[in-house]
Amino acid sequence: MSADLDALGGIIAPDRPGESLRAIRAAVAGRIVFTTSFGLEDQVVTYLIASQGLDIELVTLDTGRLFPETYDVWAATEARYGVRIAAICPEAATLEVLVRRQGINGFRESVEARKACCHVRKVAPLARALTGASIWVTGLRADQSAARGGVEMLTEDRTYGLLKFSPLAGWSRDNVAAFTTAHDVPVNALHARGFPSIGCAPCTRAVKPGEAERAGRWWWEQEGEGIASQKECGLHVGADGRLGRLHPVEARP
């Protein structure tokens, strides 16, 4: 790893995500990349980066199947902060082969077909986005789902050969929502319509009362026994197919 895991673990704090981002940017030489899907958490992280003028690249994975409301909040975010958020798109030739093989909505036929679609539209583009980076910043929270319960602020990600920093790992949904209100952060209009977690339009529905935050993602699939990654696209899943965190670092109090 190009960045020192233990050293950085000593300069981050769960209750000071903005300060932690600033400290990591000052301590690390090289590219730091934040990947946003414009969800509530990602909008908070974008605010913390843009409001401090931090030299952290803002990137999104444009799958080509996002909701119109997602593109709207993308534009609103760029306008609010005077930034450009780079779009990383699927490779055209690979996508054409996928659609020819599966059909346009063939991902609904099996979990394997859906994950193949996620790989072409999201996982492979992410690998390109992170090439040469030292730190990958994400908006992950530990309480987003049972599978994400092990999320730590700072971990070693061996899949991409860098460190992953999730400044809001310990925040609750209420913490995040309150922050967006207090700081007038642009948010996706779908949140107010029952979409706490928003991905591609064909793969996301509003949740029902009492359902988990990510229940609306790939809702037609049944959770496989012992498969924590079932409701994941693969961006945050390790080589073993699970959402396990590698070498977590304890943040200072």
Side-chain angles (χ1 to χ4, degrees):
M1 300 292 165
S2 56
D4 188 286
L5 190 71
D6 294 327
L8 293 181
I11 63 174
I12 62 175
D15 59 341
R16 294 190 290 278
E19 177 185 316
S20 297
L21 280 164
R22 188 168 66 251
I24 280 185
R25 176 64 282 182
V28 174
R31 293 177 63 230
I32 298 180
V33 176
F34 169 50
T35 54
T36 176
S37 61
F38 304 102
L40 214 59
E41 300 79 16
D42 290 339
Q43 289 300 93
V44 170
V45 177
T46 297
Y47 169 88
L48 294 173
I49 292 170
S51 64
Q52 299 184 92
L54 301 180
D55 181 21
I56 295 176
E57 295 179 33
L58 305 175
V59 168
T60 193
L61 306 177
D62 185 356
T63 66
R65 305 211 68 178
L66 303 179
F67 284 96
E69 291 87 349
T70 300
Y71 291 108
D72 289 344
V73 77
W74 179 350
T77 302
E78 290 189 331
R80 173 68 58 85
Y81 305 122
V83 298
R84 279 285 177 263
I85 299 170
I88 308 298
C89 302
E91 294 284 0
T94 306
L95 182 57
E96 289 168 3
V97 170
L98 175 78
V99 174
R100 189 177 303 120
R101 184 177 74 245
Q102 289 190 347
I104 191 59
N105 287 334
F107 50 81
R108 290 209 175 105
E109 295 179 2
S110 68
V111 174
E112 292 71 25
R114 192 268 293 170
K115 289 187 176 181
C117 185
C118 288
H119 182 84
V120 169
R121 294 181 185 273
K122 298 177 76 173
V123 179
L126 175 67
R128 286 164 36 218
L130 296 180
T131 299
S134 298
I135 304 281
W136 173 20
V137 179
T138 82
L140 290 176
R141 289 187 294 109
D143 73 347
Q144 284 172 322
S145 68
R148 295 186 175 189
V151 169
E152 303 281 347
M153 281 189 77
L154 187 65
T155 61
E156 178 182 337
D157 192 308
R158 290 177 176 168
T159 299
Y160 300 108
L162 42 58
L163 297 184
K164 180 187 289 186
F165 180 48
S166 303
L168 305 183
W171 281 35
S172 69
R173 177 80 177 185
D174 288 344
N175 293 151
V176 175
F179 189 98
T180 62
T181 299
H183 296 274
D184 195 26
V185 173
V187 300
N188 195 316
L190 291 173
H191 291 311
R193 302 177 204 161
F195 290 77
S197 178
I198 303 167
C200 291
C203 299
T204 312
R205 64 157 172 80
V207 300
K208 300 172 184 176
E211 283 190 317
E213 193 170 321
R214 289 177 61 81
R217 305 294 292 275
W218 311 294
W219 70 92
W220 63 88
E221 296 178 3
Q222 296 298 312
E223 292 283 1
E225 289 188 20
I227 304 177
S229 63
Q230 180 86 357
K231 292 290 188 174
E232 296 288 337
C233 61
L235 296 181
H236 302 287
V237 176
D240 61 357
R242 296 179 181 273
L243 262 168
R245 306 267 62 80
L246 295 172
H247 301 292
V249 171
E250 292 295 330
R252 63 178 171 83

